[in-house]
């Protein structure tokens, strides 16, 4: 058994990739998620509540079990309590409020493993995109405005921590293969099609997809993701926050999703329904925007009698999340600057220890 204690505030595909790698190291993955109080004490205010974070992590398909309110510092006692052979964390470092490594005890005992950080995504980067409020934030990494945000929220010209910062995401076929289930629809499956932006994949999306999944005993849920330009047409502002490649991985990581159509047409056509042999088309309670010609994008499935509006009971939208960030902007800036300062102090301490060891080795030789 494997333990993976985490905060997972603003769960994104980087977190999902960490869980995927951790699960590959063993046969049963237990994920411990910290409380709001613990995160606030050691890192700063979380964007999502603990209940939202618990549900988000449970929805990731590589998670076998979740422990609510896991301690921020991982001890051997915690691993033994849940019969875990070892714990896993990313190749960054997690520090307590007083700058101590939260995995020090399990590292010394040899019950610690590392997985690689996913390049090109971080909570720091996503927060910066939300505050930048431009339509081209995916390609603005070199701009002065973007650099200002990276300076405020983490790694920039004045920051040197390798863990708190931003970098550009590059999609590869290998990443998609790693996330995809690879399972085709089987005879007797109910093929359900849903479409949208699914931007900043969040608990509102999870509740909707879970409700869709429950519509059948053998559901095969296909999610159609619109291209960035299409999303910006009907949502406006600086949406989407995440590009279509990032949104693809986020949705594929959800246990309720079987397949993703990348760049799905905005209007659900007869060709699309026939190609995937769709039995049911669903949409949530959010507004349905007309297509470019003013037509209803769900006209065809409605005429066929296979369209259904589904109420998941969750009204959270991507815009609500952006508003949370904007409202607490100064707190998040302070949180990331504080986090980087602790990391820099740890890096300097590690560097000093290495220098001292090198001197000792040299003296021993002399």
């Amino acid at each position: 058994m494997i333990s993976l204690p985490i905060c997972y505030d603003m769960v994104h595909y980087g977190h999902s990739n960490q869980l995927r790698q951790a699960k590959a190291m063993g046969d049963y993955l237990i994920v411990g998620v910290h409380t709001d109080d613990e995160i606030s004490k050691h890192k700063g205010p979380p964007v999502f509540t603990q209940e939202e974070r618990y549900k988000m992590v449970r929805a990731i398909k590589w998670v076998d079990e979740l422990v609510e309110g896991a301690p921020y510092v991982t001890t051997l006692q915690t691993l033994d309590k849940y019969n875990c052979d070892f714990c896993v964390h990313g190749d960054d470092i997690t520090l307590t409020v007083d700058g101590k490594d939260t995995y020090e005890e399990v590292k010394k005992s040899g019950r610690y493993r590392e997985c690689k950080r996913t390049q090109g995504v971080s909570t720091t980067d996503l927060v910066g995109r939300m505050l930048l409020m431009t339509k081209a934030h995916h390609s603005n990494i070199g701009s002065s405005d973007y650099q200002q945000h990276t300076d405020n929220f983490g790694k920039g010209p004045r920051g040197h921590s390798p863990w708190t910062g931003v970098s550009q995401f590059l999609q590869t076929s290998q990443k998609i293969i790693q996330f995809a289930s690879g399972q085709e629809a089987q005879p007797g499956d109910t093929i359900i099609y849903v479409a949208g932006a699914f931007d900043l994949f969040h608990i509102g999306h999870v509740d909707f997809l879970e409700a869709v999944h429950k519509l059948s005993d053998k559901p095969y849920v296909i999610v159609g993701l619109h291209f960035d330009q299409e999303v910006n047409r009907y949502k406006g502002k600086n949406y989407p926050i995440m590009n279509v490649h990032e949104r693809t991985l986020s949705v594929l990581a959800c246990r309720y999703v079987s397949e993703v159509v990348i760049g799905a047409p905005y209007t659900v056509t007869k060709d699309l329904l026939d190609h995937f042999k769709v039995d049911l088309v669903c949409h949530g309670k959010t507004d349905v925007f007309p297509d470019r010609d003013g037509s209803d994008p769900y006209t065809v499935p409605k005429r066929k009698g296979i369209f259904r509006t589904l109420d998941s009971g969750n009204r959270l939208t991507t815009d609500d999340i952006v508003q949370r960030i904007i409202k607490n902007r100064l707190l998040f800036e302070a949180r990331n600057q504080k986090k980087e300062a602790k990391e820099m102090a740890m890096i300097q301490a590690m560097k000093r220890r290495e220098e001292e060891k090198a001197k000792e080795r040299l003296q021993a030789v002399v």
Side-chain angles (χ1 to χ4, degrees):
M1 288 192 185
I2 311 162
S3 166
L4 203 157
I6 49 177
C7 298
Y8 279 12
D9 193 22
M10 283 190 66
V11 178
H12 52 67
Y13 63 91
H15 297 134
S16 300
N17 193 37
Q18 183 183 33
L19 293 168
R20 180 192 64 80
Q21 292 178 75
K23 179 62 181 287
M25 296 179 187
D27 54 6
Y28 193 85
L29 179 62
I30 301 175
V31 181
V33 180
H34 310 312
T35 63
D36 294 343
D37 288 342
E38 281 282 87
I39 295 175
S40 296
K41 176 183 175 183
H42 295 282
K43 295 184 69 173
V47 178
F48 289 96
T49 68
Q50 59 198 41
E51 295 303 324
E52 290 172 328
R53 290 183 289 108
Y54 295 156
K55 193 160 192 176
M56 280 296 296
V57 174
R58 282 193 175 98
I60 297 174
K61 61 186 177 183
W62 296 287
V63 177
D64 295 304
E65 183 180 338
L66 183 137
V67 175
E68 299 182 359
Y72 197 77
V73 176
T74 304
T75 63
L76 294 174
Q77 182 181 7
T78 301
L79 294 187
D80 291 340
K81 179 179 179 180
Y82 296 101
N83 298 314
C84 294
D85 299 295
F86 57 89
C87 73
V88 179
H89 191 260
D91 55 5
D92 55 342
I93 194 166
T94 303
L95 305 173
T96 63
V97 66
D98 53 358
K100 295 181 179 178
D101 185 350
T102 58
Y103 294 96
E104 184 176 0
E105 182 177 323
V106 292
K107 284 179 179 178
K108 288 180 178 178
S109 69
R111 294 173 67 180
Y112 175 83
R113 305 285 188 277
E114 280 188 354
C115 55
K116 293 181 180 179
R117 178 180 181 273
T118 304
Q119 291 297 318
V121 65
S122 67
T123 302
T124 299
D125 181 27
L126 294 177
V127 169
R129 292 187 203 179
M130 284 181 253
L131 293 173
L132 192 55
M133 295 301 286
T134 67
K135 293 184 180 181
H137 49 75
H138 301 311
S139 58
N140 270 359
I141 287 181
S143 74
S144 59
D145 287 341
Y146 196 88
Q147 286 300 325
Q148 180 61 49
H149 281 286
T150 60
D151 290 349
N152 288 345
F153 282 87
K155 188 177 179 181
R158 295 187 297 275
H160 303 284
S161 171
W163 305 306
T164 298
V166 300
S167 57
Q168 193 162 16
F169 172 74
L170 298 174
Q171 181 68 288
T172 65
S173 59
Q174 185 62 30
K175 285 192 178 75
I176 294 177
I177 291 169
Q178 288 171 343
F179 273 60
S181 67
Q183 298 296 317
E184 296 183 353
Q186 301 299 310
D189 286 353
T190 300
I191 301 175
I192 308 172
Y193 181 78
V194 302
F198 292 89
D199 194 16
L200 287 179
F201 194 74
H202 54 72
I203 190 64
H205 298 136
V206 167
D207 282 339
F208 170 67
L209 290 171
E210 182 180 16
V212 170
H213 195 266
K214 288 179 178 178
L215 291 175
S216 170
D217 291 333
K218 293 183 65 181
Y220 188 89
V221 180
I222 302 174
V223 176
L225 288 179
H226 301 140
F227 277 132
D228 300 340
Q229 297 91 333
E230 193 67 62
V231 175
N232 188 256
R233 177 188 70 80
Y234 63 80
K235 296 201 70 173
K237 298 182 183 178
N238 64 328
Y239 296 113
I241 303 298
M242 303 177 93
N243 67 43
V244 68
H245 303 301
E246 297 173 305
R247 292 184 281 120
T248 296
L249 295 186
S250 298
V251 175
L252 281 174
C254 179
R255 66 172 68 251
Y256 307 119
V257 175
S258 304
E259 181 63 288
V260 169
V261 180
I262 305 170
Y266 187 69
T267 291
V268 180
T269 63
K270 180 180 182 300
D271 287 344
L272 184 148
L273 297 177
D274 291 345
H275 179 82
F276 291 108
K277 299 180 174 58
V278 175
D279 298 303
L280 186 63
V281 176
C282 293
H283 189 274
K285 297 290 285 185
T286 55
D287 295 335
V288 176
F289 296 93
D291 206 341
R292 296 174 187 273
D293 60 0
S295 63
D296 180 353
Y298 292 107
T299 296
V300 173
K302 284 178 179 178
R303 285 178 180 170
K304 290 171 67 71
I306 61 171
F307 179 80
R308 181 169 175 178
T309 299
L310 199 60
D311 187 356
S312 68
N314 191 324
R315 296 291 180 268
L316 184 71
T317 66
T318 302
D319 203 45
D320 293 332
I321 296 169
V322 173
Q323 292 308 311
R324 288 187 192 184
I325 295 293
I326 292 174
K327 182 180 178 181
N328 295 292
R329 172 176 179 165
L330 294 178
L331 288 175
F332 291 120
E333 284 187 2
R335 180 180 81 171
N336 282 279
Q337 289 170 355
K338 179 181 177 182
K339 180 174 181 285
E340 184 167 41
K342 287 195 297 181
E343 290 170 353
M344 288 303 301
M346 173 61 76
I347 289 170
Q348 292 301 322
M350 292 166 62
K351 186 177 179 181
R352 285 195 297 270
R353 282 198 295 270
E354 286 301 317
E355 289 174 349
E356 290 172 359
K357 288 179 180 178
K359 287 181 181 178
E360 290 174 359
R361 289 194 295 269
L362 183 61
Q363 289 173 353
V365 172
V366 175

